[in-house]
């Protein structure tokens, strides 16, 4: 089955965010709870007369001595890249070419330190595609080896996206390196300029592989959820603690705020918000304290909170048992899909159905403003599919993504056809 580049891009983005979250958790559970997760970027003194001083000063690119085979070493460090709004990626590409132009006539080796690439500093996939195309034969021909250090799932997905572009010959030059020590076999390790962040990351990986450092202290057992808890607890729990309220308060509050203030916002549900701010708001909700979205002055905050609420449910809103039925959707011809979606949705337990209908009624409203907000049913499907269904074991696979997206798109676009015939007495609509 064909997987579109857009699906892959979406998966890559999800994977990157997951990796960031896991890393933050490791920092919190590690023995350095105070260490901020923000990358520590080393500043490099650069001649201010350098034609690309604005890019060069970050130290993203370093050129050092030769590798074991007498080839120039070019080092690219992701963790040195500042947030995207502080770096002109077009200039970065020009600077890469300017630097390589001085060496490409002879053979060279490229070392890519992947650690430290985040949603906030990652160039777009279009930029990567353009970069690959612009690095014509003269750059590729003399590149003898590319070492990708500390690869993650994100790299695997990226490789899938670029596979059609990448020649077999170029593919053979790529070596994945899981630990820095492995580089010693290939190049003069002592000449490498390795950012402190990468060294620390490597130490952590080595420790984890050896069974990890001694646990700081016995981890306390998970505390039972608060009676006011809303994130990470079941719909049933929220209902029982809120005198039978069918729609979780966090949902009704984010939806009603967005209905009033967010329907005309371009790219609503596509933007992110500060991780710490989202955690603070979750804490307020979990403690039963009031949340006033007006005070954040950013309509994307409640949008992220709504998605986070759905993603943190112990069982997805569409339940584990319906997951495989949803994946079968792409096997059915287009004309039968709406009725198939209707059948699937009608198998939901009533509480889930009521919450789903409430949410989809709202997303249908959002899609009706798509000329202004650019969020068509298809775009919304890409955003919400992975937050409505996932398998009991593991995470959503590449092949499952198109089905989830199309299923969600149909629920939004054909909201009335899918939901009109089942109207529970306890139904609430936005």
């Amino acid at each position: 089955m064909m997987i579109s580049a857009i699906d892959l891009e979406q998966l890559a983005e999800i994977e990157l965010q997951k990796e960031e979250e896991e890393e933050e958790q490791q920092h919190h559970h590690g023995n350095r709870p105070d260490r901020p997760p923000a990358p520590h970027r080393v500043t490099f003194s650069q001649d201010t007369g350098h034609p690309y001083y604005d890019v060069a000063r970050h130290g993203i690119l370093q050129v050092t001595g030769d590798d074991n085979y007498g080839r120039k070493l070019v080092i690219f460090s992701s963790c040195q890249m500042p947030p995207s709004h502080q770096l002109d990626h077009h200039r970065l590409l020009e600077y890469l070419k300017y630097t390589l132009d001085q060496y490409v006539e002879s053979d060279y080796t490229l070392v890519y330190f992947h650690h430290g690439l985040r949603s906030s500093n990652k160039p777009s996939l279009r930029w990567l595609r353009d970069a690959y195309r612009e690095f014509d034969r003269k750059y590729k021909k003399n590149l003898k080896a590319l070492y990708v250090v500390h690869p993650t799932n994100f790299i695997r997905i990226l490789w899938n996206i670029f596979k059609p572009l990448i020649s077999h010959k170029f593919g053979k030059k790529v070596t994945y390196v899981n630990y820095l020590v492995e580089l010693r076999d290939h190049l003069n390790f002592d000449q490498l300029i390795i950012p402190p962040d990468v060294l620390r990351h490597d130490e952590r990986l080595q420790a984890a592989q050896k069974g990890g450092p001694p646990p700081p202290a016995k981890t306390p057992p998970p505390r039972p959820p608060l009676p006011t808890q809303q994130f990470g607890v079941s719909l049933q729990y929220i209902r029982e603690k809120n005198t039978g309220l069918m729609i979780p308060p966090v949902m009704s509050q984010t939806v009603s705020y967005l209905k009033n203030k967010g329907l005309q916002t371009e790219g609503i549900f596509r933007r992110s918000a500060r991780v710490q701010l989202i955690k603070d708001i979750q804490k307020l909700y979990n403690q039963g304290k009031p949340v006033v979205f007006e005070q954040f002055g950013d309509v994307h905050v409640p949008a992220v909170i709504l998605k986070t609420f759905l993603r943190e449910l112990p069982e997805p809103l569409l339940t584990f048992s319906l997951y495989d039925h949803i994946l079968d959707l792409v096997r059915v011809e287009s004309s039968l899909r709406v009725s198939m979606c209707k059948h699937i949705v009608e198998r939901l337990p009533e509480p889930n159905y009521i919450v789903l209908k409430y949410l989809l009624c709202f997303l249908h409203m959002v899609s009706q403003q798509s000329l202004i907000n650019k969020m068509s049913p298809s775009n919304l499907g890409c955003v919400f599919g992975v937050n409505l269904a996932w398998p009991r074991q593991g995470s959503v696979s590449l092949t499952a993504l198109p089905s989830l997206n199309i299923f969600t798109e149909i629920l939004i676009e054909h909201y009335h056809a899918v939901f009109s015939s089942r109207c529970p007495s306890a139904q609430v609509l936005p």
Side-chain angles (χ1 to χ4, degrees):
M1 189 179 78
M2 278 298 294
I3 292 154
S4 76
I6 291 178
D7 289 336
L8 279 159
E9 284 197 36
Q10 182 199 348
L11 253 198
E13 192 59 40
I14 292 167
E15 205 53 57
L16 201 57
Q17 283 172 1
K18 247 200 323 215
E19 287 161 17
E20 281 176 50
E21 280 166 18
E22 277 165 19
E23 208 177 299
E24 270 201 26
Q25 278 163 5
Q26 280 161 8
H27 281 305
H28 289 311
H29 297 319
N31 29 15
R32 281 193 301 270
D34 304 322
R35 190 170 171 267
H40 165 71
R41 284 198 298 278
V42 188
T43 43
F44 286 83
S45 56
Q46 265 290 352
D47 168 19
T48 51
H50 189 292
Y52 289 92
Y53 172 74
D54 56 330
V55 183
R57 67 196 171 96
H58 295 296
I60 300 163
L61 210 60
Q62 299 291 329
V63 181
T64 74
D66 299 347
D67 67 7
N68 290 357
Y69 311 100
R71 305 183 290 218
K72 260 287 165 268
L73 259 181
V74 180
I75 300 159
F76 188 106
S77 304
S78 291
C79 66
Q80 292 295 120
M81 285 173 70
S84 297
H85 63 86
Q86 293 173 18
L87 179 68
D88 179 343
H89 288 141
H90 180 68
R91 291 271 297 162
L92 174 62
L93 185 53
E94 296 300 322
Y95 169 56
L96 282 171
K97 284 156 77 172
Y98 167 87
T99 307
L100 290 176
D101 273 335
Q102 301 165 52
Y103 307 106
V104 291
E105 295 313 322
S106 48
D107 293 351
Y108 67 104
T109 291
L110 193 54
V111 176
Y112 168 61
F113 289 124
H114 177 60
H115 173 70
L117 190 77
R118 294 176 147 69
S119 320
S120 58
N121 69 358
K122 158 185 91 61
S124 68
L125 295 191
R126 179 181 291 153
W127 182 89
L128 287 170
R129 226 173 261 139
D130 291 348
Y132 185 81
R133 290 201 175 105
E134 281 201 50
F135 280 93
D136 51 28
R137 197 163 165 274
K138 80 168 173 184
Y139 298 99
K140 290 174 195 152
K141 186 181 71 178
N142 291 330
L143 170 68
K144 294 304 168 200
L146 164 58
Y147 297 103
V148 177
V149 183
H150 300 140
T152 61
N153 245 346
F154 174 78
I155 293 282
R156 202 176 44 100
I157 294 169
L158 213 57
W159 191 253
N160 275 320
I161 296 174
F162 283 89
K163 225 191 240 153
L165 291 180
I166 293 173
S167 68
H168 178 64
K169 210 160 157 192
F170 184 83
K172 276 167 47 177
K173 298 176 181 180
V174 179
T175 304
Y176 290 105
V177 178
N178 293 313
Y179 302 99
L180 289 172
V181 67
E182 295 168 26
L183 282 172
R184 287 186 189 276
D185 305 339
H186 305 283
L187 40 91
N188 186 340
F189 191 83
D190 302 324
Q191 291 189 340
L192 273 179
I193 297 171
I194 306 173
D197 256 25
V198 172
L199 287 167
R200 273 197 296 268
H201 180 64
D202 194 74
E203 282 166 21
R204 282 198 298 271
L205 290 177
Q206 298 262 29
Q209 196 213 10
K210 293 191 183 93
K218 208 158 171 280
T219 320
R223 284 192 305 233
L226 297 162
T228 46
Q229 187 100 10
Q230 290 202 58
F231 287 85
V233 291
S234 67
L235 291 175
Q236 183 187 354
Y237 184 90
I238 297 172
R239 219 169 39 251
E240 286 169 357
K241 301 292 181 204
N242 289 273
T243 59
L245 202 61
M246 293 312 288
I247 308 298
V250 64
M251 274 188 86
S252 52
Q253 285 164 21
T254 49
V255 164
S256 83
Y257 184 84
L258 290 165
K259 192 180 147 192
N260 292 325
K261 300 266 169 44
L263 291 183
Q264 315 253 312
T265 303
E266 185 170 325
I268 189 69
F269 293 116
R270 273 218 156 139
R271 303 278 167 274
S272 54
R274 277 201 353 265
V275 173
Q276 196 49 52
L277 177 61
I278 297 303
K279 285 186 174 159
D280 293 344
I281 295 173
Q282 285 183 273
K283 200 168 169 183
L284 287 175
Y285 268 118
N286 286 340
Q287 293 172 345
K289 293 181 178 162
V291 174
V292 182
F293 286 114
E294 271 84 4
Q295 72 188 60
F296 304 111
D298 179 1
V299 77
H300 296 295
V301 169
V304 172
I305 288 287
L306 177 58
K307 287 190 298 183
T308 307
F309 171 77
L310 293 167
R311 194 167 52 241
E312 292 194 1
L313 285 169
E315 180 172 18
L317 187 53
L318 287 164
T319 69
F320 292 128
S321 57
L322 292 184
Y323 184 74
D324 289 337
H325 298 287
I326 294 167
L327 298 198
D328 289 338
L329 183 70
V330 285
R331 300 204 183 97
V332 175
E333 59 176 280
S334 302
S335 61
L336 302 173
R337 287 179 181 173
V338 176
S339 65
M340 181 174 172
C341 289
K342 186 174 189 293
H343 286 307
I344 292 173
V345 162
E346 287 182 346
R347 295 172 61 171
L348 280 171
E350 187 155 294
N352 295 58
Y353 181 87
I354 288 173
V355 173
L356 184 72
K357 186 170 177 177
Y358 176 87
L359 175 67
L360 269 296
C361 178
F362 167 64
L363 294 181
H364 179 67
M365 289 177 200
V366 176
S367 72
Q368 287 184 308
Q369 303 280 335
S370 64
L371 280 176
I372 301 165
N373 63 31
K374 307 281 190 283
M375 294 305 284
S376 60
S378 163
N379 288 343
L380 287 165
C382 287
V383 172
F384 276 90
V386 286
N387 293 316
L388 292 176
W390 56 85
R392 200 180 291 274
Q393 248 83 48
S395 51
V396 173
S397 70
L398 261 182
T399 44
L401 211 54
S403 303
L404 281 183
N405 293 351
I406 293 167
F407 179 80
T408 312
E409 178 186 347
I410 290 172
L411 298 194
I412 297 168
E413 188 170 352
H414 301 278
Y415 165 76
H416 293 292
V418 172
F419 291 96
S420 58
S421 57
R422 183 177 173 189
C423 300
S425 55
Q427 182 67 62
V428 185
L429 292 176

